[in-house]
Amino acid sequence: MAILCLASGAAAAGTIYKCKEGGTVSYHDRPCGHAAVALEAQAAPAPSPEALQRLARERAILQEIEDARAAREAHAARERTRVQREAAAMKRRCDKLRLQRKWADEDARRAGRDEAERARTKATRQAEALAVECPA
């Protein structure tokens, strides 16, 4: 990586050729024919210490913002997972109550004379429990 930076720094301070071919302008590090115009490239000046400090502060602020965003996203993902688990548990509970109601209704239909009232009461209570736990 360091060699690449040194090589690009040396190339930046060298000569660049501006070529016009067919109405298009392109830039190369070697002459591209008789229509090449040599341009002297100069290395960029070193940034001022104040600019470097400002850049470091801005990078630190950006990192804080990114960390806060990542924390919010992680919290939102945990919350989505919690809500999904709660919804699945509620669905299981409602399915169980529906099944119990179905069984109670079947028992009430099959009950004999002596057991009929008790079975109807049980079926009614199951229906009420289902209505309370699982509206709609």
Side-chain angles (χ1 to χ4, degrees):
M1 185 70 176
I3 295 173
L4 181 62
C5 291
L6 290 174
S8 66
T15 302
I16 296 176
Y17 296 93
K18 178 179 179 181
C19 303
K20 292 182 183 179
E21 296 179 72
T24 358
V25 176
S26 60
Y27 296 90
H28 303 277
D29 58 347
R30 293 186 196 99
C32 54
H34 67 285
V37 176
L39 305 171
E40 283 300 318
Q42 299 176 356
S48 69
E50 296 84 21
L52 291 175
Q53 288 174 350
R54 187 178 70 241
L55 180 61
R57 283 192 308 271
E58 290 173 356
R59 283 185 178 160
I61 290 169
L62 179 61
Q63 187 61 48
E64 288 176 17
I65 292 169
E66 285 295 317
D67 291 345
R69 182 195 53 78
R72 281 192 312 272
E73 286 180 358
H75 176 72
R78 285 191 305 272
E79 186 65 19
R80 279 191 304 274
T81 301
R82 183 188 64 77
V83 167
Q84 288 171 347
R85 277 195 308 261
E86 287 178 4
M90 178 61 103
K91 183 181 181 320
R92 284 190 304 272
R93 173 87 174 128
C94 290
D95 289 346
K96 180 181 176 183
L97 287 171
R98 283 185 191 93
L99 188 58
Q100 288 174 344
R101 179 182 177 195
K102 177 184 166 192
W103 291 341
D105 287 341
E106 289 172 358
D107 290 345
R109 280 193 300 274
R110 281 191 234 141
R113 262 186 224 177
D114 297 338
E115 301 168 356
E117 186 60 33
R118 188 175 26 215
R120 278 192 298 273
T121 303
K122 183 177 179 181
T124 302
R125 288 180 181 159
Q126 286 294 332
E128 291 170 352
L130 177 61
V132 167
E133 293 267 344
C134 307

